[in-house]
Amino acid sequence: LKSDIVWPPGVCDQKPIRLHSCISSFEPSNPELGEPKIVENTSNCSMISITFSDELYNIQSDYCFKIDRKWLVIDWCQYDPLINPSIGRWEKIQTIEVEDNHGPSINYPDSIHVEESNSNCLGYIKMTVPGLSDDCSKVITYTFESFTGNVTGDQNTGYTITNLPKGYHTVSLIAQDVCGNKTTKKVV
C-alpha cells in the first residue's frame, strides 16, 4: 500500500505550506493543505484508516505560528502491532506556517465625557474594557496611554486615568495580537 499513498502538499518535499492569512481554513478540506489519498489499493483490502493530529507552535519570526500536522495511514489488513508494528503503518509530517500581518480590531467609543471630580478641578475616568477581536489570535493584550493625567492599572484589574485637567484629551488604546501586530485607536 505504501506506493498507493499520495501524500498532501509539503510532505514529500519537506517544504512548509505557507498560508497568508488566518481566514483560510486549517482543515484538510482546504485544497492548499489537502490530505493523503489512496490512489490504487493493490492489496484488495478496504480497511484503510487516515487520521491526523496537530501540534501548534507560536513563533514571532517571519510567520506568526506553525502547525506540525502528523498524518497516520494504517492498512488494517496488514497492520498488527503484536507481530510487526512497522508493516501496514505509515506516518508523515506536514508543516503549515501561518502568516498574519493584520492587527486586532477594536470596538470602543470615539469619545468619552469626563466630569470634574474634586475641588482642584481635576477629573478621572475608569476605562471600560474594549471589544477586541483578531483573525489569528485568541489572546489579545491591550493598554491605554495618555499624555495628560496618570494611567494606572492593567488589563486584569482595569485601567483608570486620574489627574485629568479640564479640557479635551486624547487617550490611545493599543491592542496587540500574539503575532506582534498592533492596532491603535485614539479616544478623545
Side-chain angles (χ1 to χ4, degrees):
L1 177 72
K2 182 177 181 180
S3 61
D4 297 338
I5 303 171
V6 176
W7 294 99
V11 171
C12 293
D13 61 7
Q14 301 275 308
K15 290 184 180 176
I17 303 302
R18 176 75 57 110
L19 297 178
H20 297 285
S21 95
C22 291
I23 297 171
S24 300
S25 169
F26 303 130
E27 294 300 314
S29 58
N30 179 340
E32 291 180 83
L33 303 177
E35 59 190 318
K37 303 279 187 220
I38 309 302
V39 291
E40 182 180 323
N41 189 350
T42 57
S43 69
N44 294 323
C45 180
S46 61
M47 292 178 50
I48 307 298
S49 169
I50 299 174
T51 60
F52 71 91
S53 61
D54 288 344
E55 288 189 40
L56 176 71
Y57 302 95
N58 287 321
I59 301 171
Q60 288 188 14
S61 62
D62 60 334
Y63 54 92
C64 179
F65 62 90
K66 81 172 189 170
I67 300 168
D68 278 345
R69 177 163 290 165
K70 182 165 86 173
W71 287 103
L72 176 61
V73 177
I74 296 178
D75 178 350
W76 289 100
C77 294
Q78 297 180 43
Y79 179 65
D80 186 339
L82 300 176
I83 295 172
N84 188 337
S86 63
I87 294 178
R89 184 179 196 275
W90 301 272
E91 284 185 27
K92 297 284 185 181
I93 301 289
Q94 179 186 38
T95 299
I96 304 161
E97 298 174 346
V98 181
E99 185 178 295
D100 173 31
N101 296 316
H102 303 287
S105 296
I106 299 174
N107 183 8
Y108 204 78
D110 293 327
S111 63
I112 300 172
H113 181 75
V114 179
E115 297 289 333
E116 292 176 19
S117 62
N118 57 33
S119 59
N120 62 0
C121 301
L122 297 175
Y124 78 95
I125 185 165
K126 175 92 170 133
M127 305 304 287
T128 58
V129 176
L132 303 172
S133 62
D134 189 75
D135 292 333
C136 277
S137 303
K138 289 184 173 38
V139 177
I140 304 168
T141 59
Y142 73 93
T143 188
F144 287 94
E145 293 179 357
S146 178
F147 290 110
T148 55
N150 301 322
V151 179
T152 58
D154 58 43
Q155 69 182 36
N156 297 321
T157 61
Y159 287 93
T160 302
I161 303 175
T162 59
N163 297 323
L164 288 169
K166 188 174 184 174
Y168 291 95
H169 307 282
T170 300
V171 175
S172 296
L173 166 55
I174 302 150
Q176 181 173 334
D177 64 21
V178 296
C179 301
N181 302 308
K182 292 182 181 181
T183 303
T184 300
K185 175 164 185 166
K186 303 288 186 187
V187 180
V188 180

